[in-house]
């Protein structure tokens, strides 16, 4: 039983071989956080949380005469609101008397095998109840009758705990939740570096690390999507921690909408971490008896460095977040026509590209934007999901049949959540988009967002999509979404319920995706949002791969893929070999390096094959063959970051490893004259095993400690090499 409750000490202990999470009910009232970190086998708590009178500015709860106890100082699991804890809390609610103070006091708990589903929300899961145990703790404000249920699941064999929270109105009057976060973790220290992933379009997930700051700091999205500017991820690492060594706590929010992650370092150098739906533009009325379920947060603790933390996320997401037929299937190499044709294509052009792609070994042909309505530019037709017969003169089915006859699978691009003002759909339903009646609405890439919080809107789009999918044998869908919410309002919704819209939109989208992916289990779905504008853990539950960035430049991608790998495994990161000069930044990079970087993920091409030299086509053919032979290792092996490309734009290196051997990917970005030689050290090998590498037999301990010289034979910018090694058995 990996969760115990000690009735004398009133302590909960969640544990497995790797991790312990301990909480205590103090004064019979408050659920406090005692310890989170490396496994403690027997906990006697030689010294308990100090009680010192700081009552002038850290008030004592009325029920307690003991001046040493203040909510402002102690470490908590479910901090309330306006109750003497001046830090931010888990909940804020407005009650029928117009006031907001909330105090969450212990009520009861339950321990159950397995892990219950979160209704309507994406979440990690178990296949067998033996895999995990769940603790549900009820806390309640006895005056307000707001009950908060904290849910904790600990996996038996992973260093993973998941947390989520639900809020129930047990009073006789309606209340409004202004803040209903998913998790609070209080730490007794502020000795942390904060690792986060800020970015922008085509520059997503730029690794950023700095010492934690005093006071309250947050990373967040107010976009109605997790967004390009931040990832709902944070890691708190010991300042000495690197990829190979040291302690780190990783937190990832399993949600695709507005989020807020805050760190708050208090005057006593304690750190509060809060994660949940952003309170921005959020208000959830709860009538008597109603509940609100907040999404899940995944917590990973690791004592041996950032790579191991990432591998725990990778394994969890591959095995217990992704679902469906493709979860464990090697993913096909695709070609996408976007950067070759943009909107300017016809059947003949597409078929020529498909022929040339087939000759190289491509397996899936993807038709991107522009096949529907009158879509010859990005100003029109979103919502009109009817084939453009001027471009595809014989119809979509005819094109798909021809592609299939060539031995290729066929994929199609959709952007179901968007509508163009210049569309038949908009003419018929001018109030179906997210907007406020009578108030101007901003445009983003000439488009508006369909109001997926409304069932009739979802149903209409579902019908348009299924009309195509039921009649045309499509093997893959690229689901795009590339503008964010503004002026949020939903026509027809009661004024008291308007602030539910952004979250109802997400619930509507999740419901749509569940229905669509269940109805078409043989379609491989790729998540896209103008690149990685919604590449988050929530989406992984519905779509097992994502477009990593619209930026396909190899050097930029090296960085984006490096940071993306903090949370997501390479199989989920779609990466394409594209043109040089690159269409996003104009950089010229040799084919070898473009291919090397793309082959570190889920491979595709975005290349005009008519304009490649014969020599390059021959290289591509060999590369695709090589990728097919190694993709099992790349997509399902263990992944290690070896060298950080953000360090002075000097080098980047990755390693893939399984029990048969591995691969080393090395890029020298900007070399120097009289350059220092680089001896690259591998990770994760068996010290006493022998590996065949560069025609030599070397021990794991030599490769991990002495390493191998990597850059002696490289000359010029952006050079790379790929080395294979085999374990000798
Ligand atoms: C988005 C996607 C691109 C492409 C274009 C088409 O930006 O990220 O890959 O599909 O839309 O308009």
């Amino acid at each position: 039983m990996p969760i115990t409750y000690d009735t004398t000490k009133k302590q909960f202990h969640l544990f497995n071989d790797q991790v312990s999470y301990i909480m205590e009910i103090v004064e019979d009232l408050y659920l406090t956080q005692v310890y989170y970190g490396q496994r403690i086998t027997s906990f006697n708590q030689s010294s308990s949380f100090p009680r010192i009178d700081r009552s002038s500015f850290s008030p004592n709860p009325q029920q307690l005469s003991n001046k040493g106890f203040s909510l402002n100082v102690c470490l908590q699991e479910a901090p309330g609101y306006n109750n003497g804890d001046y830090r931010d809390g888990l909940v804020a609610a407005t009650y029928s008397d117009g006031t907001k103070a909330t105090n969450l006091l212990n009520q009861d708990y339950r321990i159950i095998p397995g892990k219950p589903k979160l209704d309507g929300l994406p979440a990690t899961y178990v296949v067998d109840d033996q895999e995990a145990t769940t603790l549900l703790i009820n806390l309640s404000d006895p005056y307000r009758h707001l009950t908060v249920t904290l849910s904790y699941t600990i996996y038996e064999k992973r260093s993973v705990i998941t947390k989520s929270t639900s809020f129930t109105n047990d009073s006789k009057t309606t209340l409004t939740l202004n803040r209903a976060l998913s998790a609070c973790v209080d730490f007794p220290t502020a000795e942390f570096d904060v690792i986060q992933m800020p970015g922008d379009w085509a520059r997503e997930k730029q690794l950023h690390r700095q010492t934690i700051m005093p006071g309250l700091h947050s990373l967040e999205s107010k976009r109605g999507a997790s967004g390009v500017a931040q990832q709902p991820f944070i890691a708190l690492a010991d300042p000495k921690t690197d990829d190979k060594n040291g302690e780190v706590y990783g937190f990832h929010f399993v949600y695709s909408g507005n989020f807020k992650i805050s760190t708050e370092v208090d005057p006593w150098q304690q750190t509060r971490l809060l994660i949940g739906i952003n309170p921005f533009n959020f208000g959830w009325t709860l009538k008597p008896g109603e509940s609100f379920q907040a999404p899940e947060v995944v917590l990973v603790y690791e004592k041996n460095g950032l790579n191991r933390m990432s591998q725990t996320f990778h394994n969890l997401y591959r095995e217990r977040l992704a679902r469906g037929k493709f979860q464990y299937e090697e993913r096909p190499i695709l070609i996408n026509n976007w950067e070759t044709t943009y909107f300017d294509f016809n059947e003949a052009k597409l078929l020529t590209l498909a022929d040339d792609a087939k000759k190289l070994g491509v397996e899936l042909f993807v038709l991107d934007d522009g096949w529907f309505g009158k879509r010859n530019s990005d100003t029109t037709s979103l919502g009109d999901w009817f084939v453009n017969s001027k471009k595809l003169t014989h119809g979509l089915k005819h094109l798909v049949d021809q592609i299939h006859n060539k031995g290729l699978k066929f994929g199609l691009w959709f952007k179901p959540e968007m509508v163009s003002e210049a569309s038949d759909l908009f003419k018929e339903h001018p109030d179906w988009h997210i907007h406020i009646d009578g108030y101007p609405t901003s445009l983003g890439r000439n488009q508006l967002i369909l109001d997926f919080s409304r069932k009739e809107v979802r149903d209409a789009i579902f019908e348009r999509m299924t009309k195509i999918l039921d009649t045309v044998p499509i093997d893959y869908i690229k689901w795009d979404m590339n503008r964010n919410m503004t002026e949020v309002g939903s026509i027809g919704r009661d004024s008291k319920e308007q602030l539910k819209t952004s979250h109802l939109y997400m619930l509507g989208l999740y419901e749509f995706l569940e229905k669509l992916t269940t109805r078409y289990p043989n379609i491989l779905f790729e998540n896209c949002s103008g690149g990685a504008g919604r590449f988050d853990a929530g989406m992984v539950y519905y779509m097992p791969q994502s477009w990593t960035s619209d930026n396909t430049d190899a050097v930029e991608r090296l960085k984006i893929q490096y940071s993306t790998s903090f949370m997501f495994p390479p199989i989920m990161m779609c990466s394409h070999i594209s043109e040089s000069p690159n269409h996003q930044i104009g950089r010229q990079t040799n084919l070898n390096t473009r291919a090397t970087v793309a082959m570190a993920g889920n491979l595709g091409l975005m290349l005009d094959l008519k304009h490649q030299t014969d020599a390059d086509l021959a290289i591509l053919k060999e590369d695709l063959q090589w990728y097919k032979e190694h993709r099992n290792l790349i997509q399902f092996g263990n992944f290690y970051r070896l060298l950080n490309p953000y360090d002075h734009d000097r080098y980047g290196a990755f390693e893939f490893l399984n029990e048969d051997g591995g691969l080393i990917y090395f890029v020298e970005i900007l070399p120097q004259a009289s350059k220092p030689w680089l001896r690259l050290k591998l990770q994760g090998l068996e010290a006493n095993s022998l590996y065949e590498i560069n025609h030599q037999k070397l021990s794991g301990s030599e490769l991990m400690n002495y390493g191998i010289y990597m850059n002696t034979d490289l000359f010029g910018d952006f050079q790379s090499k790929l080395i294979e090694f085999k374990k000798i058995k």
Side-chain angles (χ1 to χ4, degrees):
M1 165 82 71
I3 301 182
T4 55
Y5 180 65
D6 181 324
T7 43
T8 324
K9 294 183 191 148
K10 299 201 165 49
Q11 275 177 358
F12 297 101
H13 190 163
L14 290 70
F15 62 89
N16 60 26
D17 287 347
Q18 298 159 73
V19 65
S20 277
Y21 193 103
I22 304 174
M23 297 171 283
E24 180 178 331
I25 299 164
V26 168
E27 305 285 350
D28 274 338
L29 296 169
Y30 297 102
L31 184 66
T32 62
Q33 154 61 234
V34 176
Y35 173 83
Y36 176 31
Q38 195 173 337
R39 169 79 202 272
I40 294 178
T41 42
S42 142
F43 185 63
N44 288 312
Q45 204 178 8
S46 53
S47 57
S48 55
F49 193 86
R51 295 195 174 197
I52 296 164
D53 185 356
R54 291 178 168 144
S55 59
S56 297
F57 294 104
S58 292
N60 317 117
Q62 198 193 34
Q63 313 90 309
L64 299 182
S65 52
N66 178 353
K67 280 205 180 134
F69 184 85
S70 172
L71 291 170
N72 196 38
V73 185
C74 73
L75 305 175
Q76 296 174 64
E77 282 294 305
Y81 188 89
N82 189 215
N83 62 344
D85 182 352
Y86 295 110
R87 296 167 291 185
D88 268 1
L90 191 77
V91 62
T94 310
Y95 302 97
S96 57
D97 63 0
T99 66
K100 293 179 84 164
T102 304
N103 234 329
L104 297 170
L105 307 182
N106 171 47
Q107 238 187 3
D108 52 34
Y109 75 92
R110 243 168 3 117
I111 297 172
I112 54 175
K115 182 174 195 292
K117 278 190 160 185
L118 288 191
D119 209 18
L121 285 166
T124 56
Y125 56 88
V126 293
V127 170
D128 182 327
D129 275 354
Q130 303 298 316
E131 282 176 37
T133 308
T134 297
L135 165 67
L136 298 159
I137 304 178
N138 287 320
L139 307 169
S140 175
D141 185 313
Y143 298 89
R144 308 299 201 169
H145 304 288
L146 171 67
T147 302
V148 169
T149 307
L150 306 176
S151 166
Y152 302 80
T153 297
I154 180 157
Y155 279 87
E156 288 249 15
K157 300 217 159 65
R158 303 171 195 267
S159 189
V160 173
I161 290 171
T162 64
K163 286 176 94 166
S164 64
T165 304
S166 76
F167 303 81
T168 303
N169 181 1
D170 286 323
S171 78
K172 295 197 168 59
T173 51
T174 298
L175 62 84
T176 302
L177 293 171
N178 312 108
R179 161 188 281 255
L181 302 188
S182 296
C184 169
V185 184
D186 276 356
F187 291 92
T189 172
E191 284 291 304
F192 288 128
D193 276 357
V194 171
I195 299 173
Q196 54 169 302
M197 309 284 166
D200 192 9
W201 172 77
R203 194 164 42 76
E204 298 90 340
K205 299 187 184 69
Q206 299 291 300
L207 183 68
H208 184 86
R209 177 170 180 163
Q210 70 171 69
T211 309
I212 201 166
M213 302 275 282
L216 180 62
H217 295 272
S218 64
L219 36 137
E220 50 187 288
S221 167
K222 299 172 180 149
R223 297 168 172 269
S226 49
V228 287
Q230 278 291 352
Q231 171 67 200
F233 167 85
I234 194 169
L236 300 181
D238 182 288
K240 292 187 287 301
T241 295
D242 58 21
D243 273 334
K244 225 162 131 183
N245 300 297
E247 261 197 325
V248 58
Y249 299 86
F251 302 87
H252 206 192
F253 194 32
V254 189
Y255 187 61
S256 314
N258 292 335
F259 69 88
K260 188 178 182 88
I261 300 177
S262 65
T263 55
E264 188 167 5
V265 174
D266 70 17
W268 308 284
Q269 297 300 300
Q270 306 179 116
T271 302
R272 170 163 297 171
L273 180 86
L274 289 167
I275 303 186
I277 292 178
N278 199 329
F280 166 81
N281 228 5
F282 173 87
W284 201 272
T285 49
L286 283 182
K287 297 199 183 91
E290 283 183 350
S291 293
F292 175 78
Q293 176 63 56
E296 168 168 297
V297 181
V298 174
L299 287 67
V300 171
Y301 166 76
E302 177 53 55
K303 65 175 174 12
N304 289 320
L306 302 171
N307 271 329
R308 295 257 312 243
M309 172 198 74
S310 297
Q311 287 166 5
T312 302
F313 277 116
H314 296 179
N315 292 335
L316 180 74
Y317 289 179
R318 265 192 310 232
E319 294 159 15
R320 293 295 179 264
L321 182 59
R323 300 174 298 166
K325 175 177 168 198
F326 298 95
Q327 186 180 3
Y328 294 111
E329 256 184 39
E330 289 179 12
R331 306 294 163 76
I333 301 174
L334 64 81
I335 187 157
N336 178 305
N337 72 310
W338 180 239
E339 288 188 6
T340 304
T341 66
Y342 291 103
F343 292 106
D344 181 21
F345 60 83
N346 56 33
E347 194 184 278
K349 257 194 196 178
L350 297 177
L351 290 174
T352 308
L353 183 62
D355 275 333
D356 293 342
K358 175 70 190 168
K359 282 185 213 144
L360 294 184
V362 166
E363 297 156 310
L364 163 65
F365 181 88
V366 178
L367 173 54
D368 209 277
D369 195 355
W371 57 268
F372 52 92
K374 302 188 187 79
R375 182 99 167 154
N376 293 317
S377 73
D378 64 7
T379 57
T380 167
S381 297
L382 293 169
D384 296 344
W385 301 109
F386 310 106
V387 176
N388 180 334
S389 51
K390 282 203 181 126
K391 284 186 186 174
L392 303 181
T393 35
H394 301 97
L396 186 62
K397 168 89 168 52
H398 185 256
L399 174 70
V400 176
D401 287 345
Q402 292 194 73
I403 299 277
H404 280 162
N405 288 341
K406 293 180 197 301
L408 288 165
K409 291 188 183 305
F410 182 87
L412 194 60
W413 179 97
F414 280 96
K415 195 150 61 170
E417 297 157 80
M418 301 288 140
V419 62
S420 310
E421 276 183 315
S423 67
D424 293 341
L425 182 71
F426 189 77
K427 265 182 231 139
E428 283 160 44
H429 300 286
D431 71 345
W432 270 16
H433 59 292
I434 295 270
H435 72 290
I436 300 168
D437 202 13
Y439 194 83
T441 311
S442 310
L443 284 174
R445 208 186 174 203
N446 309 301
Q447 61 207 13
L448 298 161
I449 305 182
L450 283 172
D451 186 353
F452 265 44
S453 71
R454 288 165 64 181
K455 186 171 181 319
E456 71 272 33
V457 177
R458 295 198 300 271
D459 286 351
I461 299 300
F462 193 79
E463 202 197 307
R464 285 176 184 209
M465 285 186 79
T466 52
K467 242 188 200 142
I468 294 173
L469 302 178
D470 285 347
T471 49
V472 184
I474 282 165
D475 307 293
Y476 156 111
I477 286 177
K478 177 174 170 188
W479 178 296
D480 201 355
M481 185 289 288
N482 60 9
R483 71 149 285 181
N484 291 147
M485 289 183 191
T486 57
E487 297 93 19
V488 176
S490 179
I491 301 309
R493 181 159 298 133
D494 188 275
S495 61
K496 290 193 197 71
E497 309 272 302
Q498 281 293 343
L499 294 184
K500 287 185 172 178
T501 302
S502 308
H503 182 59
L504 283 177
Y505 179 97
M506 290 317 308
L507 294 178
L509 173 66
Y510 289 146
E511 183 203 89
F512 191 113
L513 289 173
E514 184 71 32
K515 221 162 83 175
L516 195 69
T517 51
T518 309
R519 179 159 163 161
Y520 302 103
N522 295 323
I523 294 181
L524 170 62
F525 282 82
E526 179 165 323
N527 166 45
C528 170
S529 173
R534 205 170 54 191
F535 184 175
D536 53 55
M539 282 297 152
V540 170
Y541 192 63
Y542 306 96
M543 308 197 224
Q545 59 187 52
S546 289
W547 184 219
T548 313
S549 176
D550 272 355
N551 188 344
T552 53
D553 172 72
V555 175
E556 297 276 288
R557 266 307 188 95
L558 192 63
K559 293 181 180 170
I560 294 172
Q561 290 171 208
Y562 182 92
S563 328
T564 305
S565 78
F566 269 65
M567 300 80 55
F568 300 107
I571 192 174
M572 292 179 187
M573 290 186 226
C574 295
S575 46
H576 295 175
I577 306 171
S578 68
E579 298 291 342
S580 174
N582 174 265
H583 286 204
Q584 288 74 40
I585 65 164
R587 181 182 281 133
Q588 298 193 28
T589 314
N590 64 75
L591 178 60
N592 185 38
T593 294
R594 281 181 283 144
T596 300
V597 174
M599 291 194 301
N602 183 335
L603 180 64
L605 305 185
M606 236 191 220
L607 271 180
D608 184 353
L609 298 180
K610 274 276 146 300
H611 293 105
Q612 309 302 314
T613 63
D614 287 346
D616 279 356
L617 288 173
I619 294 176
L620 280 168
K621 193 171 176 180
E622 257 179 47
D623 283 345
L624 265 54
Q625 186 53 37
W626 181 91
Y627 185 82
K628 285 178 193 167
E629 284 159 18
H630 294 86
R631 75 179 143 194
N632 194 280
L633 165 60
I634 296 163
Q635 299 184 357
F636 297 100
N638 269 335
F639 177 80
Y640 294 84
R641 292 174 297 268
L642 299 182
L643 293 174
N644 181 350
Y646 292 89
D647 279 350
H648 309 293
D649 282 324
R650 192 67 71 212
Y651 319 107
F654 301 138
E655 177 189 324
F656 293 84
L657 190 67
N658 67 17
E659 65 241 10
D660 299 323
L663 298 167
I664 306 164
Y665 287 62
F666 175 77
V667 181
E668 185 169 60
I669 305 172
L670 295 175
Q672 297 160 287
S674 305
K675 65 183 173 185
W677 304 134
L678 177 92
R679 215 155 69 187
L680 183 72
K681 295 171 184 171
L682 303 195
Q683 289 185 37
L685 308 184
E686 288 167 19
N688 297 325
S689 294
L690 282 178
Y691 294 84
E692 198 178 315
I693 181 165
N694 291 342
H695 310 294
Q696 297 180 74
K697 291 189 174 74
L698 302 175
S699 71
S701 57
E702 175 174 337
L703 288 165
M704 289 191 293
N705 296 300
Y706 176 85
I708 35 176
Y709 283 103
M710 290 302 289
N711 62 343
T712 44
D713 53 352
L714 295 180
F715 187 73
D717 286 349
F718 324 129
Q719 300 297 314
S720 62
K721 58 168 79 167
L722 229 167
I723 299 174
E724 194 176 342
F725 57 94
K726 287 211 162 61
K727 192 166 113 186
I728 301 169
K729 294 192 177 165

